[in-house]
Amino acid sequence: MSQTLQAVRGMNDILPDDAETWEYFENIVRDWLQSYGYRPIRMPLVEPTPLFKRAIGEVTDIVEKEMYSFEDALNGEHLTLRPEGTASCVRAAIQHSLIAAGGPQRLYYYGPMFRHERPQKGRYRQFHQIGVEALGFAGADTDAELILMCARLWDDLGLEDVALEINSLGAPEERAQHRAALIAYLEQHQDKLDEDGKRRLHTNPLRILDTKNPELQAIVEGAPRLADYLGDESKAHFEAVQVFLKDAGIPFRINHRLVRGLDYYNRTVFEWVTTRLGAQGTICAGGRYDGLFAQLGAKPQPAAGFAIGIERLLLLWQACGGESERAAPDAYVVSVGEAAQRLAMRAAESLREHGFAALMHCGGGSFKSQMKKADASAAPVAVVIGEEEAAAGEVGLKPLRGGGVQLRVSLEALPEAMAALLYSDESVQEGQ
Ligand code: ATP
Ligand code: MG
């Protein structure tokens, strides 16, 4: 016998119980984004590999070791399953001249991302992000609004234990000066660096500050701080962001070692972290990336954004007692006999036409077994059709919660009778 096939490691099925939670959550998210004026955009899951190399940077975890890249067997193109959305979103904005045609853009997307990482709780090879990008906006007001937005979503979801960390990466020239000082410092400690550190010393030393290796902590603590290299404009921008955050009453911590794993950031960067999810504690990360448009060969445009990891956010939401309501149908339709079944089909359609959710019993069986299913469905009402009802062109309406007598009405009168039962009979509404 051949073995049954399994999903790819780190790529999960989201089964109905969970998928319902996802959809419930997605509805909250859509309203939240709309309330800040963000509009949806949908990009392909596959992009030319050079897009990510140029946008994210060659010397980053993602590009060095996490991308699903392949050659299209038919035409030899180098393609990659998107590991993140910002590069694609900016590529799309450039390709379709969105800013030139419509001014600054507030955009969001939602969907799967792919990274070849070691799967564990909160870390998968296919995972999902909500990406929010403000393209063409230069000010600290935008940076602050992006952060305020996140805080509001956490609030809407009732999340606890989420803390904000912010930092400024300054301007490219300031980073260059800091980089020279950092390299000089790290060279003195070269023998103590790990393999990644040695390799990055001259290519991406800033990322060494971001290391998770506990043995490097002491070296990292003593390293030159980027904050000491910021010029007046960068400082003023960072200050202005902090003023908005204080006005909004959002506590934050300045984390000088917050450098972010992607090359494209400048000025404000931020992360929302929780202690409730173990090592995978960052639920949302973002910042300003004024250099990305030019890096992709377009006219420079200021921009900022963030991405939320949905799996981590949902884990935290559930840890905080978040629960989606299971939607029950308004009616469960049972029928026995051929004529009754035909009437049942019409009755169910008539209910749906009037906006009710009707679950029709399919597959036959006795009244008793069908009524058991009706009860299990959590519907407040059963529509019951036997041979007698069918012959009269009528249906029975049986309240399933909190008592109440069974009615019999014509097919035409069914929607109205249903509404009366659901919306004016307190015993039905309070029944559960
Ligand atoms: P980490 O340091 O945890 O690897 P990152 O810096 O690589 O995160 P980003 O590229 O900033 O992550 O992505 C934004 C968010 O997407 C993260 O904060 C996290 O919530 C989520 N995320 C990133 N990688 C994964 C993954 N492999 N599985 C699940 N969620 C992820
Ligand atoms: Mg990562």
Side-chain angles (χ1 to χ4, degrees):
M1 215 175 74
S2 66
Q3 253 193 329
T4 55
L5 292 170
Q6 305 276 312
V8 175
R9 189 163 125 80
M11 305 203 182
N12 302 314
D13 297 308
I14 302 168
L15 299 178
D17 279 347
D18 286 332
E20 277 177 351
T21 303
W22 280 62
E23 292 203 350
Y24 177 85
F25 168 77
E26 284 157 13
N27 287 334
I28 295 176
V29 163
R30 219 173 282 122
D31 289 347
W32 160 71
L33 288 161
Q34 210 189 2
S35 76
Y36 283 85
Y38 279 79
R39 301 180 64 207
I41 181 168
R42 300 184 185 204
M43 299 84 63
L45 301 192
V46 177
E47 294 276 1
T49 302
L51 172 66
F52 300 115
K53 291 195 174 170
R54 275 163 74 176
I56 299 171
E58 298 264 5
V59 194
T60 55
D61 281 347
I62 293 180
V63 172
E64 280 182 341
K65 50 193 183 198
E66 296 174 359
M67 293 209 301
Y68 283 92
S69 297
F70 57 97
E71 213 177 290
D72 184 326
L74 297 178
N75 62 12
E77 269 184 284
H78 293 277
L79 304 176
T80 294
L81 293 181
R82 65 178 188 194
E84 55 106 56
T86 303
S88 310
C89 185
V90 170
R91 195 255 323 124
I94 294 169
Q95 184 174 337
H96 303 285
S97 309
L98 293 186
I99 299 178
Q105 303 280 314
R106 289 181 158 94
L107 303 173
Y108 77 86
Y109 46 85
Y110 184 102
M113 305 293 161
F114 303 86
R115 297 186 193 177
H116 196 103
E117 303 196 70
R118 195 170 67 78
Q120 52 200 292
K121 185 182 171 198
R123 192 177 294 285
Y124 314 99
R125 290 180 176 172
Q126 175 176 320
F127 64 99
H128 297 74
Q129 285 184 341
I130 302 168
V132 175
E133 318 285 358
L135 308 182
F137 294 92
D141 49 356
T142 292
D143 303 16
E145 195 186 52
L146 289 167
I147 296 173
L148 261 60
M149 259 179 102
C150 297
R152 178 157 310 283
L153 181 62
W154 314 154
D155 216 44
D156 287 352
L157 294 170
L159 300 190
E160 294 153 19
D161 290 334
V162 201
L164 172 64
E165 299 195 346
I166 60 172
N167 193 17
S168 175
L169 300 184
E173 320 79 71
E174 295 152 11
R175 267 161 81 166
Q177 284 178 8
H178 169 252
R179 185 188 144 105
L182 185 59
I183 291 176
Y185 167 83
L186 290 170
E187 275 173 343
Q188 296 168 11
H189 302 277
Q190 200 161 355
D191 49 322
K192 289 179 227 126
L193 292 180
D194 58 11
E195 204 185 307
D196 267 349
K198 285 194 178 109
R199 195 161 38 85
R200 285 177 172 167
L201 175 53
H202 294 280
T203 51
N204 197 348
L206 202 58
R207 282 306 311 279
I208 299 176
L209 300 184
D210 195 25
T211 180
K212 289 179 177 122
N213 184 347
E215 284 162 30
L216 295 184
Q217 297 311 312
I219 295 176
V220 161
E221 293 293 338
R225 282 181 170 188
L226 188 45
D228 298 328
Y229 291 80
L230 296 187
D232 289 343
E233 269 187 63
S234 293
K235 275 189 193 150
H237 187 102
F238 195 36
E239 280 296 323
V241 172
Q242 293 174 52
V243 168
F244 284 120
L245 295 181
K246 284 176 188 153
D247 284 348
I250 298 175
F252 59 86
R253 183 173 83 89
I254 297 176
N255 175 356
H256 292 285
R257 289 172 46 193
L258 184 63
V259 297
R260 306 286 306 115
L262 297 78
D263 265 1
Y264 50 58
Y265 288 107
N266 68 305
R267 289 201 169 160
T268 320
V269 289
F270 61 90
E271 286 192 359
W272 289 92
V273 284
T274 176
T275 48
R276 293 233 191 155
L277 299 179
Q280 274 58 248
T282 306
I283 58 166
C284 171
R288 178 157 284 287
Y289 50 89
D290 296 332
L292 185 54
F293 276 76
Q295 217 166 299
L296 295 180
K299 181 175 158 241
Q301 287 288 353
F306 63 81
I308 298 174
I310 310 293
E311 284 84 354
R312 293 186 195 176
L313 187 62
L314 288 178
L315 281 169
L316 179 61
W317 185 49
Q318 277 158 350
C320 297
E323 241 180 289
S324 67
E325 296 141 33
R326 176 102 196 260
D330 297 311
Y332 193 97
V333 183
V334 308
S335 63
V336 172
E338 198 190 317
Q341 245 184 335
R342 288 172 59 192
L343 189 60
M345 190 75 89
R346 290 172 62 199
E349 279 299 304
S350 160
L351 286 173
R352 295 168 190 140
E353 198 181 324
H354 289 83
F356 297 104
L359 195 61
M360 199 178 79
H361 182 86
C362 285
S366 67
F367 263 127
K368 195 170 166 214
S369 71
Q370 293 192 34
M371 285 308 288
K372 266 195 192 159
K373 294 262 166 61
D375 266 328
S377 77
V381 177
V383 174
V384 184
I385 309 171
E387 275 172 28
E388 204 195 322
E389 283 89 352
E394 294 182 342
V395 304
L397 275 177
K398 184 174 165 52
L400 296 174
R401 309 269 174 267
V405 287
Q406 181 161 339
L407 314 169
R408 209 165 126 167
V409 298
S410 67
L411 181 64
E412 292 69 35
L414 172 61
E416 212 174 309
M418 185 72 191
L421 264 181
L422 285 185
Y423 307 128
S424 50
D425 185 339
E426 294 294 320
S427 70
V428 170
Q429 287 196 324
E430 287 171 10
Q432 262 285 308

